[in-house]
Amino acid sequence: QVQLVESGGGLVQPGGSLTLSCVVAGFAISTYNMRWYRQAPGKERELVASIGGRTIYADYADSVKGRFTISRDFAKNMVYLQMNSLKPEDTAEYYCNRFPSPGRWGQGTQVTVSA
């Protein structure tokens, strides 16, 4: 059974940093493209970052390129999102999932960027 548990969110001032973690159970992250998404209130869920199964290739939404970095630990079966230079518009609930065949969405982790 696929399980995804996100953590690491919080309240941070503009310009600050956070690192999100996603614990994955039920499959090996090396066999899937792994992705971080976010959803702000009243908006649709959007793809933020993705990384290939065994490749180092990563892709980012234009809005976070140069500020966010996706990474993973195969031994721990975990995916991370390092977020730097945070902006108020980064405020959202953040989720991880695999592609294709996404599993049930986890509870997400809330990131709030505010002075």
Side-chain angles (χ1 to χ4, degrees), residues 17-95:
S17 298
L18 282 174
T19 299
L20 308 184
S21 300
C22 175
V23 177
V24 177
F27 68 95
I29 60 172
S30 61
T31 61
Y32 281 87
N33 179 291
M34 293 302 299
R35 299 181 167 186
W36 281 97
Y37 299 81
R38 68 185 180 187
Q39 187 168 20
K43 295 188 176 181
E44 292 188 355
R45 186 173 289 150
E46 64 170 334
L47 176 62
V48 174
S50 65
I51 190 165
R54 279 285 184 183
T55 71
I56 61 172
Y57 177 76
D59 198 16
Y60 301 90
D62 288 343
S63 58
V64 306
K65 202 167 291 184
R67 300 188 296 120
F68 289 12
T69 302
I70 187 172
S71 62
R72 62 268 165 96
D73 185 325
F74 293 132
K76 295 182 179 179
N77 217 41
M78 291 181 65
V79 186
Y80 305 95
L81 186 67
Q82 172 69 43
M83 306 186 296
N84 298 324
S85 302
L86 283 161
K87 304 176 181 180
E89 50 264 44
D90 295 319
T91 295
E93 195 83 20
Y94 284 71
Y95 304 85

Coordinates of all heavy atoms in Angstrom, one line a residue, residues 17-95:
S17 N 14.2 30.0 4.7 CA 14.3 28.7 4.1 C 13.6 27.6 4.9 O 13.4 27.8 6.1 CB 15.8 28.3 4.0 OG 16.5 29.2 3.2
L18 N 13.2 26.6 4.2 CA 12.6 25.4 4.9 C 13.0 24.2 4.0 O 13.2 24.3 2.8 CB 11.1 25.5 4.9 CG 10.4 26.4 6.0 CD1 8.9 26.4 5.7 CD2 10.7 25.9 7.4
T19 N 13.1 23.1 4.7 CA 13.3 21.8 4.0 C 12.1 20.9 4.3 O 11.9 20.6 5.5 CB 14.6 21.1 4.4 OG1 15.7 22.0 4.1 CG2 14.8 19.8 3.6
L20 N 11.4 20.5 3.3 CA 10.3 19.5 3.4 C 10.8 18.1 3.2 O 11.7 17.9 2.4 CB 9.2 19.9 2.4 CG 8.7 21.3 2.4 CD1 7.6 21.4 1.4 CD2 8.3 21.8 3.8
S21 N 10.2 17.2 3.9 CA 10.6 15.8 3.8 C 9.3 15.0 3.5 O 8.2 15.3 3.9 CB 11.1 15.2 5.1 OG 12.3 15.9 5.5
C22 N 9.5 13.9 2.7 CA 8.4 13.0 2.4 C 8.9 11.6 2.6 O 9.8 11.1 1.9 CB 8.0 13.2 0.9 SG 6.8 12.1 0.3
V23 N 8.3 10.9 3.5 CA 8.6 9.5 3.8 C 7.6 8.7 2.9 O 6.4 8.9 2.9 CB 8.3 9.2 5.3 CG1 8.6 7.7 5.5 CG2 9.2 10.0 6.2
V24 N 8.2 7.8 2.2 CA 7.5 7.0 1.2 C 7.5 5.5 1.6 O 8.6 5.0 2.0 CB 8.1 7.1 -0.2 CG1 7.4 6.2 -1.2 CG2 8.1 8.6 -0.7
A25 N 6.3 4.9 1.6 CA 6.2 3.5 1.9 C 5.4 2.8 0.8 O 4.5 3.5 0.2 CB 5.6 3.2 3.2
G26 N 5.7 1.6 0.5 CA 4.9 0.8 -0.5 C 5.5 0.7 -1.8 O 5.0 -0.1 -2.6
F27 N 6.5 1.4 -2.1 CA 7.3 1.3 -3.4 C 8.6 1.9 -3.2 O 8.8 2.8 -2.3 CB 6.5 1.9 -4.5 CG 6.4 3.4 -4.5 CD1 7.3 4.2 -5.2 CD2 5.4 4.0 -3.8 CE1 7.2 5.6 -5.1 CE2 5.3 5.4 -3.7 CZ 6.2 6.2 -4.4
A28 N 9.5 1.6 -4.1 CA 10.9 2.2 -4.1 C 10.9 3.4 -4.9 O 10.5 3.4 -6.1 CB 11.9 1.2 -4.6
I29 N 11.3 4.5 -4.3 CA 11.3 5.8 -5.1 C 12.2 5.8 -6.3 O 12.1 6.5 -7.2 CB 11.7 7.0 -4.2 CG1 13.1 6.8 -3.6 CG2 10.7 7.2 -3.0 CD1 13.6 8.1 -2.8
S30 N 13.2 4.8 -6.3 CA 14.1 4.7 -7.4 C 13.3 4.2 -8.7 O 13.9 4.4 -9.8 CB 15.2 3.8 -7.1 OG 14.7 2.5 -6.8
T31 N 12.1 3.7 -8.5 CA 11.4 3.2 -9.7 C 10.4 4.1 -10.2 O 9.7 3.8 -11.2 CB 10.7 1.8 -9.3 OG1 9.8 2.1 -8.2 CG2 11.7 0.8 -8.8
Y32 N 10.3 5.3 -9.7 CA 9.3 6.3 -10.1 C 9.9 7.7 -10.2 O 10.8 8.0 -9.5 CB 8.1 6.3 -9.2 CG 7.1 5.2 -9.3 CD1 7.3 4.0 -8.7 CD2 6.0 5.4 -10.2 CE1 6.4 3.0 -8.8 CE2 5.1 4.3 -10.3 CZ 5.3 3.1 -9.7 OH 4.4 2.1 -9.8
N33 N 9.3 8.5 -11.1 CA 9.5 9.9 -11.0 C 8.8 10.4 -9.7 O 7.6 10.1 -9.5 CB 8.9 10.6 -12.2 CG 9.1 12.1 -12.3 OD1 8.4 12.8 -11.5 ND2 9.9 12.5 -13.2
M34 N 9.5 11.2 -8.9 CA 8.9 11.7 -7.7 C 8.7 13.2 -7.8 O 9.5 13.9 -8.4 CB 9.8 11.4 -6.5 CG 9.9 9.9 -6.1 SD 8.3 9.2 -5.8 CE 7.7 10.1 -4.4
R35 N 7.6 13.7 -7.3 CA 7.2 15.1 -7.5 C 6.8 15.7 -6.2 O 6.2 15.0 -5.3 CB 6.1 15.1 -8.5 CG 6.5 14.6 -9.9 CD 5.4 14.7 -10.9 NE 5.9 14.4 -12.3 CZ 5.2 14.6 -13.4 NH1 3.9 15.0 -13.3 NH2 5.8 14.4 -14.5
W36 N 7.0 17.0 -6.1 CA 6.4 17.9 -5.1 C 5.3 18.8 -5.8 O 5.6 19.3 -6.8 CB 7.4 18.7 -4.4 CG 8.2 18.0 -3.4 CD1 9.4 17.4 -3.5 CD2 7.8 17.8 -2.0 NE1 9.9 16.9 -2.4 CE2 8.9 17.1 -1.4 CE3 6.7 18.1 -1.3 CZ2 8.9 16.7 -0.1 CZ3 6.7 17.7 0.1 CH2 7.8 17.0 0.6
Y37 N 4.2 18.8 -5.1 CA 3.1 19.7 -5.6 C 2.8 20.7 -4.4 O 3.1 20.5 -3.3 CB 1.9 18.9 -5.9 CG 2.0 17.9 -7.0 CD1 2.6 16.6 -6.7 CD2 1.5 18.1 -8.3 CE1 2.7 15.6 -7.7 CE2 1.6 17.1 -9.3 CZ 2.2 15.9 -9.0 OH 2.3 15.0 -10.0
R38 N 2.0 21.7 -4.8 CA 1.5 22.6 -3.8 C 0.1 23.1 -4.2 O -0.2 23.1 -5.4 CB 2.4 23.8 -3.5 CG 2.5 24.8 -4.6 CD 3.6 25.8 -4.3 NE 3.7 26.8 -5.4 CZ 4.6 27.7 -5.4 NH1 5.5 27.8 -4.4 NH2 4.7 28.6 -6.4
Q39 N -0.7 23.4 -3.1 CA -2.0 23.9 -3.4 C -2.3 25.0 -2.4 O -2.3 24.8 -1.2 CB -3.0 22.8 -3.2 CG -4.4 23.3 -3.6 CD -5.4 22.1 -3.7 OE1 -5.2 21.0 -3.2 NE2 -6.5 22.3 -4.5
A40 N -2.5 26.2 -3.0 CA -2.8 27.4 -2.2 C -4.3 27.5 -2.1 O -5.1 26.9 -2.9 CB -2.3 28.6 -2.8
P41 N -4.9 28.1 -1.0 CA -6.3 28.2 -0.8 C -7.0 28.8 -2.1 O -6.5 29.9 -2.6 CB -6.4 29.2 0.4 CG -5.2 29.0 1.1 CD -4.1 28.7 0.1
G42 N -8.0 28.2 -2.5 CA -8.7 28.7 -3.7 C -8.1 28.4 -5.0 O -8.6 28.9 -6.1
K43 N -7.0 27.7 -5.0 CA -6.3 27.5 -6.3 C -6.1 26.0 -6.5 O -6.2 25.1 -5.6 CB -4.9 28.1 -6.3 CG -4.9 29.6 -6.2 CD -3.5 30.2 -6.4 CE -3.6 31.7 -6.4 NZ -2.2 32.3 -6.6
E44 N -5.9 25.6 -7.8 CA -5.6 24.2 -8.1 C -4.2 23.8 -7.7 O -3.3 24.6 -7.5 CB -5.8 24.0 -9.6 CG -7.2 24.2 -10.1 CD -7.4 23.8 -11.6 OE1 -6.4 23.5 -12.2 OE2 -8.5 23.9 -12.1
R45 N -4.1 22.5 -7.5 CA -2.8 21.9 -7.1 C -1.9 22.1 -8.3 O -2.3 21.9 -9.4 CB -3.0 20.4 -6.8 CG -1.7 19.8 -6.3 CD -2.0 18.4 -5.8 NE -2.8 18.4 -4.6 CZ -3.7 17.4 -4.2 NH1 -3.9 16.4 -5.1 NH2 -4.3 17.5 -3.1
E46 N -0.7 22.5 -8.0 CA 0.3 22.7 -9.1 C 1.6 22.0 -8.8 O 2.0 21.8 -7.7 CB 0.6 24.2 -9.3 CG 1.3 24.9 -8.1 CD 1.9 26.3 -8.4 OE1 2.1 26.6 -9.5 OE2 2.0 27.0 -7.4
L47 N 2.2 21.5 -9.9 CA 3.5 20.8 -9.8 C 4.6 21.8 -9.6 O 4.7 22.8 -10.3 CB 3.7 20.1 -11.1 CG 5.1 19.3 -11.3 CD1 5.2 18.3 -10.2 CD2 5.2 18.7 -12.7
V48 N 5.4 21.5 -8.6 CA 6.5 22.4 -8.2 C 7.8 21.9 -8.7 O 8.7 22.7 -9.2 CB 6.5 22.6 -6.7 CG1 7.7 23.4 -6.2 CG2 5.2 23.3 -6.2
A49 N 8.1 20.6 -8.4 CA 9.4 20.0 -8.8 C 9.2 18.5 -9.0 O 8.4 17.9 -8.4 CB 10.4 20.3 -7.6
S50 N 10.1 18.0 -9.9 CA 10.1 16.6 -10.1 C 11.5 16.1 -10.4 O 12.4 16.9 -10.8 CB 9.2 16.3 -11.3 OG 9.8 16.8 -12.5
I51 N 11.7 14.8 -10.1 CA 13.0 14.2 -10.3 C 12.8 12.8 -10.8 O 12.0 12.1 -10.3 CB 13.9 14.3 -9.0 CG1 15.3 13.9 -9.3 CG2 13.3 13.5 -7.9 CD1 16.3 14.3 -8.1
G52 N 13.7 12.4 -11.7 CA 13.6 11.0 -12.3 C 13.9 10.0 -11.3 O 14.5 10.2 -10.2
G53 N 13.6 8.7 -11.7 CA 13.8 7.6 -10.8 C 15.3 7.4 -10.4 O 15.7 7.5 -9.3
R54 N 16.1 7.1 -11.4 CA 17.5 6.9 -11.2 C 18.4 7.9 -11.9 O 19.6 7.7 -11.9 CB 17.9 5.5 -11.7 CG 17.5 4.3 -10.7 CD 18.5 4.3 -9.6 NE 18.2 3.2 -8.7 CZ 18.9 2.9 -7.5 NH1 19.8 3.8 -7.2 NH2 18.6 1.9 -6.8
T55 N 17.8 8.9 -12.4 CA 18.5 10.0 -13.0 C 18.7 11.1 -12.1 O 18.1 11.3 -11.1 CB 17.9 10.5 -14.3 OG1 16.7 11.2 -13.9 CG2 17.4 9.3 -15.2
I56 N 19.6 12.0 -12.4 CA 19.8 13.2 -11.6 C 19.0 14.4 -12.2 O 19.1 15.5 -11.7 CB 21.3 13.6 -11.6 CG1 21.9 13.9 -13.0 CG2 22.1 12.5 -10.9 CD1 23.2 14.5 -13.0
Y57 N 18.3 14.1 -13.3 CA 17.6 15.2 -13.9 C 16.4 15.6 -13.0 O 15.6 14.8 -12.6 CB 17.1 14.7 -15.3 CG 16.2 15.8 -16.0 CD1 16.8 16.9 -16.6 CD2 14.8 15.7 -16.0 CE1 16.1 17.8 -17.2 CE2 14.1 16.7 -16.6 CZ 14.7 17.7 -17.2 OH 13.9 18.7 -17.8
A58 N 16.3 16.9 -12.8 CA 15.2 17.5 -12.1 C 14.6 18.6 -12.9 O 15.3 19.3 -13.6 CB 15.7 18.0 -10.7
D59 N 13.4 18.9 -12.6 CA 12.7 20.0 -13.3 C 11.9 20.7 -12.3 O 11.4 20.2 -11.3 CB 11.8 19.4 -14.4 CG 11.4 20.5 -15.4 OD1 12.1 21.5 -15.5 OD2 10.4 20.3 -16.2
Y60 N 11.7 22.0 -12.6 CA 11.0 22.9 -11.6 C 10.1 23.8 -12.3 O 10.3 24.2 -13.5 CB 12.1 23.8 -10.9 CG 13.1 23.0 -10.1 CD1 14.3 22.5 -10.7 CD2 12.8 22.6 -8.8 CE1 15.2 21.8 -10.0 CE2 13.8 21.8 -8.1 CZ 14.9 21.4 -8.7 OH 15.8 20.7 -8.0
A61 N 9.0 24.2 -11.6 CA 8.1 25.3 -12.1 C 8.9 26.6 -12.2 O 9.9 26.8 -11.4 CB 7.0 25.5 -11.2
D62 N 8.6 27.4 -13.2 CA 9.3 28.6 -13.4 C 9.3 29.5 -12.1 O 10.3 30.2 -11.8 CB 8.7 29.4 -14.5 CG 9.0 28.8 -15.9 OD1 10.0 28.0 -15.9 OD2 8.4 29.1 -16.9
S63 N 8.2 29.4 -11.4 CA 8.1 30.3 -10.2 C 9.0 29.9 -9.1 O 9.3 30.7 -8.2 CB 6.6 30.2 -9.7 OG 6.3 28.9 -9.4
V64 N 9.6 28.7 -9.1 CA 10.5 28.3 -8.0 C 11.9 28.0 -8.5 O 12.8 27.7 -7.7 CB 10.0 27.1 -7.3 CG1 8.5 27.3 -6.8 CG2 10.0 25.8 -8.1
K65 N 12.1 28.1 -9.8 CA 13.4 27.7 -10.4 C 14.5 28.6 -9.8 O 14.4 29.8 -9.7 CB 13.4 27.9 -11.9 CG 14.4 27.1 -12.6 CD 14.1 27.0 -14.1 CE 12.9 26.2 -14.4 NZ 12.6 26.1 -15.9
G66 N 15.6 28.0 -9.4 CA 16.7 28.7 -8.8 C 16.6 28.9 -7.2 O 17.5 29.3 -6.6
R67 N 15.4 28.6 -6.7 CA 15.2 28.8 -5.3 C 14.9 27.4 -4.6 O 15.3 27.3 -3.4 CB 14.0 29.7 -5.0 CG 14.1 31.1 -5.6 CD 13.0 32.0 -5.2 NE 11.7 31.6 -5.6 CZ 10.7 31.3 -4.9 NH1 10.8 31.3 -3.5 NH2 9.5 30.9 -5.4
F68 N 14.3 26.5 -5.3 CA 13.9 25.2 -4.7 C 14.8 24.1 -5.3 O 15.2 24.2 -6.5 CB 12.5 24.9 -5.0 CG 11.5 25.7 -4.3 CD1 11.8 26.8 -3.6 CD2 10.1 25.3 -4.3 CE1 10.8 27.6 -2.9 CE2 9.1 26.0 -3.6 CZ 9.5 27.2 -2.9
T69 N 15.1 23.1 -4.5 CA 15.9 22.0 -4.9 C 15.2 20.7 -4.4 O 15.0 20.5 -3.2 CB 17.3 22.0 -4.4 OG1 17.9 23.3 -4.9 CG2 18.1 20.9 -5.0
I70 N 14.9 19.8 -5.4 CA 14.4 18.5 -5.0 C 15.5 17.5 -4.9 O 16.5 17.5 -5.7 CB 13.3 18.0 -6.0 CG1 12.6 16.7 -5.5 CG2 13.9 17.9 -7.4 CD1 11.4 16.4 -6.4
S71 N 15.4 16.6 -3.9 CA 16.5 15.6 -3.8 C 15.8 14.3 -3.2 O 14.7 14.4 -2.7 CB 17.6 16.0 -3.0 OG 17.2 16.4 -1.6
R72 N 16.6 13.2 -3.1 CA 16.0 12.0 -2.5 C 17.1 11.2 -1.9 O 18.3 11.4 -2.2 CB 15.2 11.2 -3.5 CG 16.0 10.7 -4.7 CD 16.0 11.7 -5.8 NE 17.0 11.4 -6.8 CZ 16.8 10.7 -8.0 NH1 15.6 10.2 -8.2 NH2 17.8 10.6 -8.8
D73 N 16.7 10.3 -1.0 CA 17.6 9.4 -0.3 C 17.1 8.0 -0.6 O 16.1 7.6 0.0 CB 17.7 9.7 1.2 CG 18.7 8.9 1.9 OD1 18.9 7.7 1.6 OD2 19.3 9.4 2.9
F74 N 17.8 7.3 -1.4 CA 17.3 5.9 -1.8 C 17.3 5.0 -0.6 O 16.4 4.2 -0.4 CB 18.1 5.3 -2.9 CG 17.9 6.1 -4.2 CD1 19.0 6.4 -5.0 CD2 16.6 6.4 -4.7 CE1 18.8 7.1 -6.2 CE2 16.5 7.0 -5.9 CZ 17.6 7.4 -6.7
A75 N 18.3 5.1 0.2 CA 18.4 4.2 1.4 C 17.3 4.4 2.4 O 16.7 3.5 2.9 CB 19.7 4.4 2.1
K76 N 16.9 5.7 2.5 CA 15.8 6.0 3.5 C 14.4 6.0 2.7 O 13.4 6.1 3.4 CB 16.0 7.3 4.1 CG 17.2 7.4 5.0 CD 17.4 8.7 5.7 CE 18.6 8.7 6.6 NZ 18.8 10.1 7.2
N77 N 14.4 5.9 1.4 CA 13.2 6.0 0.6 C 12.4 7.3 0.9 O 11.2 7.3 1.2 CB 12.3 4.8 0.9 CG 11.6 4.4 -0.4 OD1 12.2 4.4 -1.5 ND2 10.3 4.0 -0.3
M78 N 13.2 8.4 0.9 CA 12.6 9.7 1.2 C 12.9 10.7 0.1 O 14.0 10.6 -0.5 CB 13.1 10.2 2.6 CG 12.7 9.4 3.8 SD 13.3 10.1 5.3 CE 12.5 11.7 5.4
V79 N 12.1 11.7 0.0 CA 12.2 12.7 -1.0 C 12.2 14.1 -0.2 O 11.4 14.2 0.8 CB 11.1 12.7 -2.0 CG1 11.4 13.8 -3.1 CG2 11.0 11.4 -2.6
Y80 N 13.0 15.0 -0.6 CA 13.1 16.3 0.1 C 12.9 17.5 -0.9 O 13.0 17.3 -2.1 CB 14.5 16.4 0.7 CG 14.9 15.3 1.6 CD1 15.6 14.2 1.1 CD2 14.5 15.3 2.9 CE1 16.0 13.2 1.9 CE2 14.9 14.2 3.7 CZ 15.6 13.2 3.2 OH 16.0 12.1 4.0
L81 N 12.5 18.6 -0.3 CA 12.4 19.8 -1.1 C 13.0 20.9 -0.2 O 12.5 21.3 0.8 CB 10.9 20.1 -1.4 CG 10.8 21.3 -2.3 CD1 11.3 21.0 -3.7 CD2 9.3 21.8 -2.4
Q82 N 14.2 21.3 -0.7 CA 14.9 22.5 0.0 C 14.3 23.7 -0.7 O 14.4 23.9 -1.9 CB 16.4 22.4 -0.3 CG 17.2 23.6 0.2 CD 17.2 23.7 1.7 OE1 17.3 22.8 2.5 NE2 17.0 25.0 2.2
M83 N 13.8 24.6 0.2 CA 13.2 25.9 -0.3 C 13.9 27.1 0.3 O 14.0 27.2 1.5 CB 11.7 25.9 0.1 CG 10.9 24.7 -0.4 SD 9.2 24.8 -0.1 CE 9.2 24.9 1.7
N84 N 14.5 27.9 -0.6 CA 15.3 29.0 -0.2 C 14.6 30.3 -0.7 O 13.8 30.2 -1.6 CB 16.7 29.0 -0.7 CG 17.5 27.8 -0.1 OD1 17.3 27.4 1.0 ND2 18.3 27.2 -0.9
S85 N 15.0 31.4 -0.2 CA 14.4 32.7 -0.6 C 12.9 32.7 -0.8 O 12.3 33.1 -1.8 CB 15.1 33.1 -2.0 OG 16.5 33.1 -1.9
L86 N 12.3 32.2 0.3 CA 10.8 32.0 0.2 C 10.1 33.3 0.1 O 10.5 34.4 0.6 CB 10.4 31.3 1.5 CG 10.6 29.7 1.4 CD1 10.6 29.1 2.8 CD2 9.7 29.1 0.5
K87 N 9.0 33.3 -0.6 CA 8.2 34.5 -0.9 C 6.7 34.2 -0.4 O 6.3 33.0 -0.3 CB 8.1 34.7 -2.4 CG 9.4 34.9 -3.1 CD 9.3 35.0 -4.6 CE 10.6 35.2 -5.3 NZ 10.4 35.3 -6.7
P88 N 6.0 35.3 -0.1 CA 4.6 35.0 0.4 C 3.8 34.2 -0.6 O 2.9 33.4 -0.1 CB 4.1 36.5 0.5 CG 5.3 37.3 0.8 CD 6.4 36.7 0.0
E89 N 4.1 34.3 -1.9 CA 3.3 33.5 -2.8 C 3.7 32.0 -2.8 O 3.0 31.2 -3.5 CB 3.5 34.1 -4.3 CG 4.9 34.3 -4.7 CD 5.4 35.7 -4.5 OE1 5.1 36.3 -3.4 OE2 6.1 36.3 -5.4
D90 N 4.7 31.6 -2.0 CA 5.0 30.2 -1.8 C 4.1 29.6 -0.8 O 4.1 28.4 -0.6 CB 6.4 30.0 -1.4 CG 7.4 30.4 -2.5 OD1 7.1 30.1 -3.7 OD2 8.4 31.1 -2.2
T91 N 3.3 30.4 -0.1 CA 2.4 29.9 0.9 C 1.4 28.9 0.3 O 0.7 29.2 -0.7 CB 1.6 31.1 1.6 OG1 2.6 31.9 2.3 CG2 0.6 30.5 2.6
A92 N 1.4 27.7 0.9 CA 0.5 26.6 0.3 C 0.7 25.4 1.1 O 1.6 25.3 2.0 CB 0.9 26.3 -1.1
E93 N -0.2 24.4 0.9 CA 0.0 23.1 1.4 C 0.9 22.3 0.4 O 0.6 22.4 -0.8 CB -1.4 22.4 1.6 CG -1.3 21.1 2.4 CD -1.4 21.4 3.9 OE1 -1.8 22.5 4.3 OE2 -1.0 20.6 4.7
Y94 N 1.9 21.6 0.9 CA 2.8 21.0 0.0 C 2.6 19.4 0.1 O 2.5 18.9 1.2 CB 4.2 21.4 0.3 CG 4.6 22.7 -0.2 CD1 4.1 23.9 0.3 CD2 5.4 22.9 -1.3 CE1 4.4 25.1 -0.1 CE2 5.8 24.1 -1.8 CZ 5.2 25.2 -1.2 OH 5.6 26.5 -1.7
Y95 N 2.7 18.8 -1.0 CA 2.5 17.3 -1.1 C 3.5 16.7 -2.0 O 4.0 17.3 -2.9 CB 1.1 17.0 -1.7 CG -0.1 17.6 -1.1 CD1 -0.5 18.9 -1.4 CD2 -0.8 16.9 -0.1 CE1 -1.6 19.5 -0.8 CE2 -1.9 17.5 0.5 CZ -2.3 18.8 0.1 OH -3.4 19.3 0.7

